[in-house]
Amino acid sequence: MSRLETEVQYLKGVGPRGATSLQKLGIRTVEDALFNFPRRYEDRRNLPPIRSLQPGQTATILGQLISVDARPIRGGRVISSAIVRDGTGKITLTWFNQPWVKRQLEGKTGSVVAFGMVKQTVAGLEMASPEWEFVADDEAAEAFARIMPVYALSDGVAQRTVRAACAGALAYLDDLPDPLPPELRRREKLPDLAWSLRQIHAPDSEIDRLRARSRLVFEEFFYLQCGLAQRKQSTQTEVGIAFPIKALLAGETVVAAEARTLFDPAERTGLQGQPLMAQVEAMLPFTLTGAQQRVVREIWDDMAKPFPMNRLVQGDVGSGKTAVAACALLAAVRSGYQTALMAPTEILAEQHSIGLRRIFEPLGIRVELFVGKNSAAQRRSVQAKAESGEVDIAVGTHALIQDAVKFRNLGLAIIDEQHRFGVMQRKALRDKSEASPDVLVMTATPIPRTLTMTLYGDLDVSIIDELPPGRTPIKTHWKTTSQRDWVYERVREVIGQGRQAFVVCPLVSETEKMNAQAAEDLYSRLQNEVLPDLRIALLHGQMKAKEKEDIMARFRDREFDILVSTTVIEVGVDVPNASVMVIEDANRFGLAQLHQLRGRVGRGAHASFCVLIADDSSEDVRQRMEIMRETTDGFRIADEDLRLRGPGVIAGTQQSGQSGLRIADLVADSKMLTVARAAAIREVGLNPGLTGDEWELARQRVAEPRNDMAVVTVS
Ligand code: ADP
Ligand code: MG
């Protein structure tokens, strides 16, 4: 057993009790402690004098402990306080409902270090709920006056204990091998692992700490990117289908030799003779935009290659991804292959099947819908058709990737609204065919470039960065809660003109149940008090899928004037007659989400508008509302969102609380991400399996499931 497996209870200052508490942080062994990185640092070499503190400033202070107190307040709770003083002034530290603070400080002589936000009150300077630490008078000054690591804590775990574990673990660094080969470290000018860990936990200087940090950030990104590069490379060595795109463009009637099609496409009207591009123009009721044409070319180029396509198409809401998909489908079907289009919900699948039938049935191309709500007999029938090759385009939900569905010769799979699908589903689709089918993923979530690299680093990316002409831009208004009645009066007017409206209420809590309750409350207030004369429906996440689909379908068919819902309507639903989107408590949403919601309107010929209801409670809210008013550019919004809220939110990982990254920050470290990505592509290019002794540890790290996280947790 490696010494790194030594349990932390044997380290000085930890002991069995400390070790038990450390388990809450996932720290059991010396190795766990070494990789438990500090959350921040306190530079105690130069603390500000108390008198110099400014209200609003976040600071670390050191002062002699003067007195401790605790006084009860309403509801049986307690406020603890301590007064500390240095040569220049004094400050009161307060803690809400932490009665143990008094117990821990009472009767002690020494100093307190506290970190928090400084406030000015009538009684003088105050720091509410600071992080704190007691320093006994006899502690050596030099042990104190340095850059101190501050670790994340959990209930009942003391900062002191985590520090002891991490400091004690440093004695074992000699046993720790460096997974990055010396050659790579030299080229990237990276310090070794042992030095870096020492500097991360006990920095000699700010420069050393930063250098150590970059090495650890590089390493973390490097493993992730090696995994993606390997995945990408393995699909490029896989045998795929080389669609005869060149011949189709020239107007030849061809069927790929391997297609094993039952039918000769040439026998079907519309599938013969015409050059592919001319046929696209004939089958669509509009001309493709420049961006659509470029992306279609990129897709067709991929399809022509002999290995499987793995491409992501990013295009804002309404940018016309369906038409692009149709072009890919046409090329595959004309080559004699079957295709599949997957959508995240039944209603979206149904919407696609209707649209695609309109385009393709006149050409003799057969579209079938595969959804869970089909009766058993229907299901058997469409499955039989898929298996025998009597379906050219299978449209469906995840029902499509269920085991029972087999294809005779699936050549292309398109996944709409990627963020609801994970890698596993992509793989399941791929496994449905002998030769790996081409895979095209379409998403309306504009993702900043740095994130695209991490989330979809194994995909090639196409961007539709242009909207079809002639759209009336959606006008966005920002109103405060006191103007709410006025807003609903305007909604009534628009409905009087024959339009429909969405009203979105926010996720108010972590639990779906409480969110549903909030939606119900809003619904009954609108229906009973504000707009009793209108037909209002309610939609929330607690309803059964079937119920939701039903409500959505009836709203689309204009049985209701207003749909009150939680964010379940976020993805791709098309109700062209809906021209108003009211978003209650808009301050509770991130920009990307507001943008997605807003995209539910403006899909028809009518002028549309979006009303954000939010009180301007903070600078941050003001900024977000202004950005929404200013722009409808999804990429700009995504960048601003990343800047204001950080990456976890966009990736949809914040609920699970894991960005998966231990030290790297996708925003702040985006330069290093690029460096690590380039290094990973080079190393995997030279040595795809990362074989050889010097790569052994790195190889294991790359294979760790954590390195799949970025993609998998996009839920
Ligand atoms: P999304 O990218 O959000 O999936 P859709 O494919 O649903 O967008 O297209 C949105 C609307 O724009 C549809 O009504 C579609 O018919 C229309 N559309 C798409 N491309 C064009 C174009 N090049 N010219 C005019 N209208 C277009
Ligand atoms: Mg779409």
Side-chain angles (χ1 to χ4, degrees):
M1 195 178 79
S2 152
R3 293 209 321 147
L4 295 165
E5 288 293 309
T6 307
E7 289 177 24
V8 284
Q9 63 161 315
Y10 301 112
L11 298 175
K12 184 164 163 266
V14 180
R17 266 184 57 200
T20 308
S21 75
L22 285 171
Q23 287 194 357
K24 290 188 188 163
L25 296 173
I27 301 173
R28 196 181 57 81
T29 66
V30 160
E31 187 167 9
D32 296 335
L34 287 173
F35 288 93
N36 174 60
F37 301 128
R39 195 162 52 83
R40 61 180 183 83
Y41 297 84
E42 271 172 22
D43 190 346
R44 294 183 179 174
R45 295 166 307 180
N46 255 320
L47 297 180
I50 290 175
R51 202 181 50 191
S52 74
L53 297 174
Q54 298 295 323
Q57 176 188 1
T58 300
T60 303
I61 55 114
L62 170 68
Q64 240 358 111
L65 178 63
I66 306 295
S67 64
V68 201
D69 192 17
R71 85 193 137 78
I73 53 165
R74 265 188 305 134
R77 286 169 300 193
V78 85
I79 297 240
S80 311
S81 63
I83 298 175
V84 301
R85 182 167 64 193
D86 67 6
T88 69
K90 66 179 174 122
I91 187 166
T92 307
L93 314 175
T94 61
W95 296 270
F96 178 71
N97 223 18
Q98 298 182 23
W100 59 87
V101 174
K102 181 178 177 201
R103 284 199 301 276
Q104 289 174 359
L105 286 177
E106 203 155 39
K108 291 205 171 155
T109 54
S111 303
V112 172
V113 196
F115 169 81
M117 163 101 81
V118 179
K119 285 196 305 192
Q120 180 75 53
T121 70
V122 281
L125 291 175
E126 193 183 303
M127 208 179 252
S129 304
E131 287 178 17
W132 64 280
E133 196 183 329
F134 180 76
V135 186
D137 278 344
D138 56 3
E139 272 182 60
E142 62 271 26
F144 177 79
R146 55 189 182 88
I147 304 175
M148 285 295 271
V150 181
Y151 298 92
L153 300 178
S154 166
D155 274 355
V157 189
Q159 186 64 247
R160 204 175 326 109
T161 312
V162 189
R163 279 196 189 131
C166 294
L170 295 179
Y172 293 74
L173 278 177
D174 288 345
D175 286 34
L176 189 71
D178 192 331
L180 297 182
E183 178 72 34
L184 172 67
R185 283 202 319 262
R186 218 168 12 249
R187 190 166 33 218
E188 302 292 339
K189 301 191 176 54
L190 299 168
D192 69 51
L193 180 60
W195 183 88
S196 303
L197 289 176
R198 185 179 303 283
Q199 293 300 327
I200 274 294
H201 290 288
D204 286 329
S205 72
E206 188 60 8
I207 291 176
D208 288 330
R209 180 182 79 77
L210 288 174
R211 194 157 169 256
R213 185 177 178 280
S214 353
R215 135 90 206 207
L216 297 167
V217 168
F218 173 92
E219 187 175 349
E220 188 160 40
F221 282 146
F222 181 73
Y223 298 144
L224 191 66
Q225 293 297 330
C226 280
L228 292 169
Q230 282 180 333
R231 203 146 66 206
K232 181 160 182 181
Q233 203 166 65
S234 75
T235 55
Q236 291 191 350
T237 52
E238 241 173 83
V239 181
I241 302 162
F243 291 91
I245 300 291
K246 217 168 140 199
L248 293 174
L249 283 169
E252 290 166 37
T253 301
V254 279
V255 174
E258 324 72 62
R260 298 194 303 143
T261 184
L262 272 186
F263 298 86
D264 182 356
E267 284 172 6
R268 284 190 256 156
T269 48
L271 284 189
Q272 49 194 326
Q274 266 202 69
L276 196 55
M277 204 62 212
Q279 187 165 34
V280 163
E281 277 163 24
M283 78 178 185
L284 295 174
F286 42 71
T287 313
L288 292 179
T289 62
Q292 282 171 319
Q293 285 182 33
R294 174 171 43 75
V295 171
V296 167
R297 289 286 174 180
E298 285 165 0
I299 293 168
W300 284 348
D301 282 350
D302 275 5
M303 289 177 69
K305 290 177 185 153
F307 46 81
M309 164 165 74
N310 240 324
R311 185 167 285 277
L312 175 74
V313 173
Q314 271 181 275
D316 213 339
V317 180
S319 62
K321 291 184 293 295
T322 316
V324 168
C327 295
L329 294 170
L330 177 70
V333 174
R334 273 193 63 173
S335 308
Y337 282 92
Q338 288 177 298
T339 60
L341 175 70
M342 283 212 298
T345 63
E346 297 209 342
I347 187 157
L348 285 168
E350 203 175 335
Q351 195 170 290
H352 275 309
S353 76
I354 294 168
L356 293 175
R357 277 208 173 104
R358 214 164 28 226
I359 296 174
F360 286 115
E361 278 184 348
L363 302 176
I365 295 175
R366 299 150 308 179
V367 180
E368 292 284 353
L369 183 61
F370 291 67
V371 285
K373 73 172 179 204
N374 283 355
S375 69
Q378 276 173 318
R379 216 173 305 167
R380 268 196 305 277
S381 145
V382 287
Q383 281 173 11
K385 286 182 182 176
E387 201 163 346
S388 66
E390 288 169 81
V391 182
D392 300 308
I393 301 176
V395 182
T397 52
H398 49 270
L400 260 184
I401 53 169
Q402 273 158 11
D403 280 334
V405 184
K406 294 200 178 62
F407 290 91
R408 181 177 168 81
N409 65 346
L410 184 66
L412 170 70
I414 301 183
I415 303 174
D416 194 13
E417 308 295 357
Q418 155 72 13
H419 51 295
R420 299 278 168 114
F421 286 102
V423 165
M424 293 320 288
Q425 277 124 327
R426 267 198 264 155
K427 189 173 168 322
L429 248 184
R430 173 148 276 156
D431 290 346
K432 291 215 162 277
S433 181
E434 260 167 46
S436 297
D438 279 1
V439 173
L440 188 64
V441 172
M442 305 197 295
T443 174
T445 316
I447 303 162
R449 243 197 92 66
T450 49
L451 278 184
T452 309
M453 278 202 292
T454 356
L455 300 177
Y456 304 113
D458 59 334
L459 304 180
D460 297 302
V461 179
S462 293
I463 299 177
I464 311 181
D465 50 5
E466 183 185 349
L467 290 183
R471 292 276 163 84
T472 341
I474 304 167
K475 209 165 155 33
T476 301
H477 304 271
W478 170 26
K479 299 289 172 194
T480 58
T481 47
S482 62
Q483 295 165 295
R484 192 178 266 141
D485 290 349
W486 180 88
V487 169
Y488 284 111
E489 277 315 307
R490 299 287 84 68
V491 170
R492 183 202 299 281
E493 280 172 26
V494 178
I495 288 171
Q497 294 159 8
R499 302 288 82 75
Q500 290 162 284
F502 291 106
V503 176
V504 175
C505 53
L507 298 177
V508 291
S509 93
E510 295 298 305
T511 74
E512 271 302 315
K513 200 159 170 189
M514 289 184 67
N515 290 325
Q517 185 60 48
E520 266 165 32
D521 291 348
L522 177 64
Y523 163 76
S524 64
R525 207 179 65 232
L526 288 179
Q527 184 70 89
N528 299 328
E529 294 162 34
V530 188
L531 304 163
D533 49 324
L534 299 180
R535 301 166 302 166
I536 306 182
L538 172 67
L539 191 71
H540 61 65
Q542 287 288 92
M543 295 171 152
K544 296 215 167 60
K546 210 170 138 18
E547 218 177 330
K548 281 189 281 194
E549 301 263 338
D550 181 54
I551 299 268
M552 243 0 270
R554 290 171 62 193
F555 182 63
R556 185 190 55 199
D557 298 341
R558 305 201 193 180
E559 281 182 42
F560 302 110
D561 303 307
I562 297 182
L563 184 68
V564 174
S565 85
T566 54
T567 50
V568 292
I569 54 151
E570 205 184 323
V571 175
V573 175
D574 209 357
V575 184
N577 190 51
S579 67
V580 184
M581 167 66 64
V582 178
I583 304 176
E584 289 271 358
D585 286 352
N587 50 304
R588 285 172 169 270
F589 293 106
L591 286 176
Q593 209 172 13
L594 289 174
H595 180 67
Q596 287 286 315
L597 289 168
R598 179 169 63 183
R600 297 302 113 224
V601 296
R603 308 193 132 223
H606 318 286
S608 298
F609 61 95
C610 170
V611 188
L612 307 171
I613 299 183
D615 289 328
D616 65 345
S617 47
S618 72
E619 180 54 33
D620 173 61
V621 171
R622 223 181 338 267
Q623 276 189 27
R624 280 189 282 148
M625 298 304 127
E626 287 304 334
I627 292 164
M628 289 303 293
R629 279 213 306 209
E630 245 170 61
T631 184
T632 51
D633 175 347
F635 285 96
R636 166 138 186 249
I637 288 172
D639 280 337
E640 296 282 353
D641 207 27
L642 186 62
R643 196 173 59 78
L644 291 172
R645 307 222 323 178
V649 177
I650 291 174
T653 53
Q654 88 280 25
Q655 271 113 343
S656 55
Q658 48 152 198
S659 81
L661 296 168
R662 277 164 171 263
I663 188 164
D665 175 327
L666 285 171
V667 184
D669 298 316
S670 63
K671 273 218 183 84
M672 190 49 106
L673 174 58
T674 313
V675 172
R677 179 171 168 77
I681 289 172
R682 186 188 54 227
E683 297 300 339
V684 170
L686 292 171
N687 178 1
L690 297 178
T691 51
D693 288 350
E694 78 276 26
W695 283 104
E696 188 187 339
L697 285 169
R699 195 162 61 237
Q700 285 168 17
R701 299 284 196 290
V702 173
E704 270 171 27
R706 202 163 65 79
N707 288 318
D708 232 16
M709 68 85 204
V711 200
V712 175
T713 53
V714 178
S715 54

